[in-house]
Amino acid sequence: MTEERLYIYDTTLRDGQQTQGVQFSTTEKISIANALDTLGVDYIEGGWPGANPTDSAFFETAPATRATMTAFGMTKRNGISAENDDVLAAVMNAGTKALCLVGKTHDFHVSAALGITLDENTDNIARSVRHVVAQGREALFDAEHFFDGYRANPDYALSAIQAAHDAGARWIVLCDTNGGTMPAEVGRITAEVIAAGIPGAHLGIHTHNDTENAVACSLAAIDAGARQIQGTLNGLGERCGNANLTTLIPILLLKEPYASCFKTGVTLDGLVNLTQISRSLDEILNRVPMKQAAFVGSSAFAHKAGLHASAILKDPSTYEHIEPSLVGNARIIPMSNQAGQSNLRRRLESAGLKITKGDPALARILDEVKSREAEGYAYDTAQASFELLARKVLGQMPALFEVKRYRVTVERRKNKYNQMVSLSEAVVVVKVDGEKRLSVSESMDAEGCDRGPVNALSKALVKDLGQYSALLEDMHLVDFKVRITQGGTEAVTRVIIDSEDGQGRRWSTVGVSANIVDASFEALLDAIRWKLIRDSNG
């Protein structure tokens, strides 16, 4: 069977930046563009040059990519020629090989928003596209509100995109701008557009996720014949986001009938980078990755129930729809008081701890897990802490360093501007390499803001750990969660810390105490010890 070419268009840097709370710097946009190129997408939409200083600066310094770098803008304004429209000129001057111009295809928006006639709008679309093509550039036309417009006035919606196609647009992109169209209707309308004379090989699909159907709608358009698919990494985008490429791309490469019918710029070798790229984007955004995200989430291949884990040991396909490594993810067997021995053995093996079936140590580890969870610990999410607990029970916990004592102070005072500020300071004494070492650290960051007592403890602890200090230079905390597990005077605090290192590894640790700082310090110690053991063992 001959595979058809399917083109992947990423708009993370433009439409993804419409996400509430997201504002990429130029440096961050360059980093994301390079990651997208490594993944293998066909188009990278860099932004709207002239709309803001960051986007303009990006196109001035945009990296050389295999993917076609694309600038975004709008069709020319009414009453101004395409050659004399300064807004369109800014997009043209970005110097990209491709330009994507957005225009109205819903008659209501033409009349109410633009305040011009339908014929004037169609003429503006055609003249804008012709101007781009005349300059030897690839033209894409984003048909804004197309599906709503087609329902209201199909003849006009079709005439608008036909004008762009006849003017030489390489791609006509059908946009579900409001995100309310259902998959079956997207498929039907896309098929009708093709039947009306716009070839599927020139049709793209751009969906939003307001009904949690963006991925399904995109696939419906592909099923109907569209051959370009647009979306964003991690589903970023305005309101509820855009079609999620970290879901769509593995579906297209690994799921039938798409895997057999289509070829994309993303190869199986490139797909292995998907999880790391997804998490790197969250790191840039200072967001915690969604654990339940399809394919790339840390829980996407987690098997908590003992029955599931037992079956996974025999054949992973019993409870997994793909091999996790295909997308750069990993199988996790969480530990909890629901665990059975098969679950436990699988988890120990993944940590490099070999133990035979029926070994009495298995029962001791399970008893310890259940006992500690009764005290408030939670090991189904804190995998690293579980591994350390198991090592202790098995007598395989190396003596890395010993904390002799620590102290944390928090001072609140007025600064020279008469503002109330806080400052945390930590003192940690450890015994390492046969000698005691005392380290002191404050929690002030580069901007002069207090990052809190746990940050001060973390900095003091890793400040002088002798032979281990170098191994911890690329480690940092990415999330900190606190929960009170009991109420009243006997309240117990559980702290879970998520850590990450330069290799892209992410791990979770847990600490429990009546004192939130002490619980935090316990989780922090586990995080450091897990990192040292993993790196020491290669």
Side-chain angles (χ1 to χ4, degrees):
M1 181 182 297
T2 302
E3 293 178 313
E4 282 191 76
R5 187 67 162 88
L6 187 63
Y7 295 85
I8 297 173
Y9 184 108
D10 181 275
T11 180
T12 302
L13 301 181
R14 200 274 304 174
D15 223 1
Q17 193 167 241
Q18 305 307 310
T19 308
Q20 188 174 15
V22 170
Q23 184 60 53
F24 298 123
S25 68
T26 301
T27 301
E28 289 169 342
K29 294 187 78 163
I30 291 172
S31 175
I32 296 167
N34 284 323
L36 288 166
D37 204 41
T38 299
L39 182 60
V41 301
D42 298 289
Y43 293 84
I44 298 173
E45 190 174 71
W48 188 331
N52 60 73
T54 301
D55 281 9
S56 297
F58 170 75
F59 285 107
E60 292 173 3
T61 57
T65 56
R66 177 206 55 80
T68 300
M69 188 62 68
T70 308
F72 180 89
M74 64 181 184
T75 54
K76 81 172 189 68
R77 291 167 291 174
N78 203 47
I80 303 174
S81 69
E83 291 77 10
N84 292 318
D85 190 313
D86 57 342
V87 177
L88 181 55
V91 182
M92 296 288 293
N93 291 339
T96 57
K97 294 180 180 179
L99 282 80
C100 182
L101 302 182
V102 62
K104 305 293 186 184
T105 57
H106 187 175
D107 58 357
F108 168 73
H109 285 268
V110 174
S111 303
L114 298 181
I116 61 177
T117 69
L118 299 184
D119 287 342
E120 285 174 327
N121 181 64
T122 305
D123 184 63
N124 290 338
I125 292 170
R127 290 181 183 274
S128 300
V129 172
R130 275 200 297 269
H131 178 58
V132 172
V133 175
Q135 303 300 314
R137 318 279 274 279
E138 180 178 339
L140 298 90
F141 176 65
D142 258 14
E144 189 181 31
H145 294 288
F146 179 79
F147 292 96
D148 293 334
Y150 187 89
R151 280 194 295 269
N153 186 341
D155 289 339
Y156 181 71
L158 287 171
S159 70
I161 62 173
Q162 189 70 53
H165 178 260
D166 292 347
R170 168 65 182 91
W171 292 104
I172 305 298
V173 184
L174 308 181
C175 301
D176 185 30
T177 309
N178 287 353
T181 309
M182 294 292 101
E185 190 172 21
V186 167
R188 175 183 62 80
I189 293 175
T190 302
E192 290 176 4
V193 167
I194 294 172
I198 306 291
H202 288 263
L203 272 185
I205 181 67
H206 179 112
T207 61
H208 285 258
N209 204 34
D210 296 75
T211 63
E212 289 284 354
N213 277 292
V215 168
C217 286
S218 298
L219 293 172
I222 297 301
D223 292 342
R227 291 298 175 258
Q228 186 197 88
I229 193 164
Q230 297 197 355
T232 60
L233 290 177
N234 294 350
L236 292 183
E238 195 170 18
R239 303 185 311 276
C240 304
N242 288 38
N244 191 343
L245 288 182
T246 53
T247 301
L248 277 166
I249 290 173
I251 287 175
L252 296 173
L253 268 69
L254 303 175
K255 294 296 182 179
E256 297 298 348
Y258 310 103
S260 297
C261 295
F262 299 109
K263 180 179 180 181
T264 73
V266 181
T267 64
L268 291 177
D269 288 340
L271 189 64
V272 173
N273 300 310
L274 187 65
T275 297
Q276 174 60 25
I277 290 172
S278 168
R279 294 177 184 177
S280 294
L281 177 61
D282 281 324
E283 180 64 23
I284 287 173
L285 297 174
N286 196 28
R287 304 196 320 180
V288 179
M290 183 184 296
K291 291 181 181 293
Q292 281 75 34
F295 295 100
V296 298
S298 60
S299 296
F301 303 98
H303 306 279
K304 182 174 179 179
L307 177 63
H308 289 203
S310 177
I312 285 287
L313 276 172
K314 299 171 184 175
D315 186 340
S317 67
T318 51
Y319 286 98
E320 289 177 350
H321 66 108
I322 66 163
E323 166 57 44
S325 62
L326 291 173
V327 292
N329 210 338
R331 181 175 302 116
I332 292 177
I333 309 295
M335 286 310 305
S336 72
N337 58 18
Q338 298 181 31
Q341 287 203 4
S342 59
N343 194 341
L344 175 59
R345 285 183 57 237
R346 180 66 183 86
R347 187 66 192 93
L348 293 173
E349 286 177 6
S350 67
L353 299 172
K354 300 295 183 181
I355 190 166
T356 58
K357 185 176 181 179
D359 191 313
L362 290 170
R364 295 200 302 272
I365 294 172
L366 279 176
D367 288 344
E368 184 68 16
V369 167
K370 294 174 181 179
S371 173
R372 290 172 71 84
E373 288 202 338
E375 297 172 10
Y377 288 84
Y379 292 106
D380 57 334
T381 55
Q383 299 301 304
S385 286
F386 161 72
E387 290 181 24
L388 297 180
L389 179 150
R391 285 182 178 276
K392 290 174 185 176
V393 174
L394 295 171
Q396 298 181 28
M397 183 67 190
L400 301 168
F401 60 88
E402 179 186 2
V403 177
K404 305 300 290 186
R405 63 183 177 88
Y406 77 87
R407 182 177 71 249
V408 181
T409 59
V410 179
E411 180 182 5
R412 187 157 177 80
R413 64 186 181 211
K414 286 191 173 182
N415 62 13
K416 61 182 180 181
Y417 304 108
N418 203 36
Q419 299 170 322
M420 290 300 297
V421 296
S422 60
L423 177 66
S424 304
E425 182 182 77
V427 178
V428 177
V429 178
V430 299
K431 186 174 183 180
V432 62
D433 298 335
E435 62 180 58
K436 287 185 181 180
R437 301 172 185 240
L438 182 148
S439 296
V440 181
S441 186
E442 292 182 342
S443 61
M444 200 73 73
D445 63 17
E447 285 74 39
C449 299
D450 179 37
R451 305 298 293 177
V454 177
N455 179 269
L457 273 171
S458 175
K459 291 166 65 176
L461 183 57
V462 302
K463 197 170 188 179
D464 189 5
L465 276 179
Q467 61 177 302
Y468 304 117
S469 292
L471 293 174
L472 300 171
E473 289 178 353
D474 66 338
M475 172 184 163
H476 59 280
L477 275 59
V478 294
D479 194 25
F480 178 86
K481 297 181 284 290
V482 179
R483 181 176 179 182
I484 305 301
T485 62
Q486 297 179 36
T489 57
E490 297 181 354
V492 173
T493 302
R494 177 168 68 223
V495 170
I496 293 181
I497 287 177
D498 290 346
S499 303
E500 191 174 58
D501 64 13
Q503 302 175 53
R505 295 183 304 193
R506 187 180 290 263
W507 62 100
S508 299
T509 51
V510 62
V512 170
S513 173
N515 183 300
I516 186 173
V517 174
D518 196 48
S520 303
F521 192 65
E522 182 184 5
L524 180 63
L525 281 174
D526 272 7
I528 290 172
R529 286 171 172 148
W530 185 90
K531 159 80 169 167
L532 293 176
I533 290 172
R534 281 301 175 98
D535 283 357
S536 298
N537 292 340

